[in-house]
Structure formats: structure tokens, C-alpha cells
Amino acid sequence: MSVRIRLKRLGAKKAPFYRIVVADSRTPRNGKSIAEIGYYDPTKEPVELKVNEEEAKKWLSTGAQPSDTAKALLKKVGVIAE
């Protein structure tokens, strides 16, 4: 089982809101997730990004692979070193 840290899209049409989740790589984008570790709201000014850093580091240390977008967001927060 390959575990990924990725975004789950919520919100209305043309008003996206994302949750940063830990999920099995085989589940659909908005399917069942193992854990929720934060959220990202690109529609607000300034952009709203909140991540539970402890949880994110725990999942990364156990082998969870972040998606490209999730990796960029985790770098922005400081969970992953540049």
C-alpha cells in the first residue's frame, strides 16, 4: 500500500477549497482519506494555508510520499527543507 499526502478538493464551482490529506494512492481524489493534516484556501487574500506540522512530519517519516502540489505547500510552511 502506497500512502500519499495530497489535496482533496472541496468548495463550490470556481471557488475551490482544499484539505491536505493522507490517503492510499489508489483511492479517488475526493475519496476516503486516512488522516487530515491541514487545509489550503487559494481564494482568500492573502492565501490561507494551515498544516499540522507534527502530523505531517510523522507521516513523512513513516514513508508517505507527497504529491507535487502538496510538496510545494509543505515547503512553504517549512515542513520540508528546500
Side-chain angles (χ1 to χ4, degrees):
M1 179 169 103
S2 178
V3 178
R4 305 272 303 181
I5 296 175
R6 62 185 185 193
L7 301 181
K8 182 181 207 176
R9 189 185 193 281
L10 302 166
K13 186 180 192 180
K14 303 213 181 199
F17 179 85
Y18 301 94
R19 288 194 182 143
I20 302 169
V21 298
V22 178
D24 183 353
S25 63
R26 297 170 292 187
T27 60
R29 178 190 71 187
N30 291 338
K32 188 175 180 182
S33 57
I34 299 168
E36 194 176 299
I37 60 172
Y39 63 87
Y40 169 59
D41 190 354
T43 60
K44 298 252 169 89
E45 195 55 49
V47 171
E48 210 174 309
L49 173 61
K50 183 161 172 46
V51 177
N52 183 339
E53 294 181 34
E54 266 183 37
E55 284 282 312
K57 286 179 182 175
K58 182 188 95 167
W59 281 105
L60 288 168
S61 69
T62 58
Q65 295 295 312
S67 67
D68 293 337
T69 309
K71 185 183 250 183
L73 292 173
L74 291 173
K75 278 183 183 178
K76 193 179 271 191
V77 172
V79 174
I80 298 176
E82 300 279 333

